[in-house]
Amino acid sequence: MVGILVKGYTVNLFYVLLLLMSFTISYFLSFTLWMVINIFTIKLTGVKEKFWLNTLIKITIIAGIIYLIDFLGTFLVGRDLPHVLAVLLLSIAITYFFVRFSLEFLTKTFMQKDAGNLSQKYTSKNLNYKNKFLLQSKLETIHFFRDQVFKEQSFFFIILLVIVICLYYYLDLVNFTMIYSVVINFGLKEIILLLPLSIGIHFRKYKEAIYTLNVGKYHYFLSRIFFIYILNCLTYFLFITISYFLTGMEVFGILETFIIIGFVTMVSTMVSFVIEITELNKIYILIFLLLVVNIFDILIKQLFNNQILVQFTYISLSVIMFLIIETIYLRRPILK
């Protein structure tokens, strides 16, 4: 929308309101579907944590709903009022069915919450590392696996690849290049921003347990930053490599990309320490970070025409944020 306004195109307010209303309906429909499908999966398998099964069922149902909406839109063109009323009543009945099952899901969830948190069972890990940096990196890896961070982000990674491949065969080169840039700057950066958020979230959640480890702040913090930075670089270049072999799209400026990934990683980490992030506000913080990082990238490139100055600015800000976290949040005597 900002891009359309900047280019000088006129926007009809009615279509903007229609778009916002569609987003709202889609959000509540998706949220209700999520609860209904969870009930179906639990009754079918008897196990709650089935990430890929839940995902495949949701994709199938959402694809069916999209097809049904498209069919109804074609069917209702030129129809009489009784046909429209029949479809409306059918929609109300389906909505009532979904809402009733979602209320059952919420009731069971609240009852389980009142009964107390049920701790999940994990197999013990042998962490016999003499190198403290390797030990802390291993702990962060275990945390990612147990919180299913890798599962969620790998699924999102696959979705982005599918979108890129489908649009490559559907759009012309000019439009595809524009959409591909949007996927890189927003979709792929969402993964890069989400992983560093876990450092601050984990620190706030298990602060007392971390204190008792009495580990050095560089061993604790630097190992996690370096580990997540490597993951972000691997994710980015894996996506670029696969896209190149499938679509032929090339990305230039490898050194600049490494520096920008480091800057984005430090921005996300800084926010995770400054702001208390929960499941309720995480999505809004991610959207805010995406906008801030991309707008800052545009402004800094407009301000400095020299690429060396741009890269120096990114590196300087990353170092400053690292020192702020180390000095304020990891100060003595909290960590040795």
Side-chain angles (χ1 to χ4, degrees), residues 168 173 176-177 180 240 243-251:
Y168 175 72
L173 183 60
F176 172 74
T177 303
Y180 185 75
I240 296 300
S243 300
Y244 173 74
F245 284 112
L246 295 177
T247 65
M249 295 297 297
E250 297 184 15
V251 176

Side-chain angles (χ1 to χ4, degrees), residues 57 147 212 264:
I57 293 175
D147 282 2
T212 58
V264 172

Side-chain angles (χ1 to χ4, degrees), residues 20-263:
L20 293 176
M21 186 175 67
S22 302
F23 284 159
T24 305
I25 294 173
S26 301
Y27 170 78
F28 283 106
L29 177 63
S30 302
F31 186 67
T32 309
L33 276 175
W34 170 70
M35 292 186 283
V36 173
I37 293 169
N38 274 332
I39 293 176
F40 175 77
T41 307
I42 293 171
K43 290 184 177 180
L44 181 66
T45 63
V47 181
K48 184 177 180 181
E49 296 295 336
K50 287 287 184 179
F51 177 80
W52 290 106
L53 180 61
N54 282 337
T55 302
L56 291 175
I57 293 175
K58 289 168 189 173
I59 290 175
T60 304
I61 292 179
I62 291 173
I65 289 176
I66 293 174
Y67 175 79
L68 179 62
I69 291 173
D70 184 64
F71 172 77
L72 290 177
T74 307
F75 175 78
L76 292 176
V77 174
R79 296 288 177 173
D80 297 331
L81 182 61
H83 292 90
V84 178
L85 291 176
V87 172
L88 182 62
L89 290 175
L90 179 62
S91 302
I92 293 173
I94 294 174
T95 304
Y96 175 77
F97 172 78
F98 281 164
V99 170
R100 182 166 182 177
F101 271 87
S102 63
L103 289 176
E104 180 184 347
F105 172 80
L106 289 176
T107 303
K108 289 183 178 180
T109 302
F110 288 136
M111 289 176 64
Q112 182 179 357
K113 185 177 180 181
D114 292 337
N117 295 326
L118 300 178
S119 59
Q120 298 180 1
K121 295 181 179 179
Y122 297 110
T123 57
S124 59
K125 299 289 183 179
N126 294 323
L127 302 176
N128 297 323
Y129 293 101
K130 293 182 180 180
N131 191 317
K132 293 183 179 180
F133 289 98
L134 290 178
L135 176 61
Q136 295 302 317
S137 300
K138 182 63 176 180
L139 288 173
E140 191 69 13
T141 307
I142 294 173
H143 166 65
F144 277 173
F145 275 108
R146 289 183 174 178
D147 282 2
Q148 296 189 355
V149 177
F150 286 141
K151 282 186 178 180
E152 295 173 359
Q153 296 311 302
S154 61
F155 169 72
F156 190 64
F157 184 89
I158 294 171
I159 289 294
L160 291 179
L161 274 180
V162 171
I163 291 174
V164 168
I165 296 170
C166 293
L167 292 179
Y168 175 72
Y169 291 101
Y170 181 75
L171 300 176
D172 57 78
L173 183 60
V174 176
N175 290 324
F176 172 74
T177 303
M178 182 179 64
I179 297 297
Y180 185 75
S181 176
V182 173
V183 171
I184 293 296
N185 289 321
F186 287 91
L188 199 56
K189 276 185 180 176
E190 187 273 340
I191 299 177
I192 296 174
L193 283 167
L194 184 62
L195 294 180
L197 285 178
S198 62
I199 300 178
I201 296 174
H202 186 266
F203 182 80
R204 284 177 172 271
K205 188 175 181 180
Y206 301 103
K207 187 183 297 185
E208 299 298 330
I210 293 170
Y211 293 164
T212 58
L213 294 176
N214 198 27
V215 64
K217 56 185 176 183
Y218 288 109
H219 296 139
Y220 175 82
F221 187 53
L222 193 59
S223 59
R224 283 167 170 78
I225 287 291
F226 185 72
F227 170 70
I228 291 178
Y229 174 72
I230 294 296
L231 281 180
N232 284 338
C233 290
L234 290 175
T235 302
Y236 186 90
F237 286 104
L238 179 62
F239 184 88
I240 296 300
T241 304
I242 297 175
S243 300
Y244 173 74
F245 284 112
L246 295 177
T247 65
M249 295 297 297
E250 297 184 15
V251 176
F252 302 96
I254 302 299
L255 178 61
E256 181 185 357
T257 303
F258 277 114
I259 295 173
I260 292 177
I261 292 175
F263 172 74

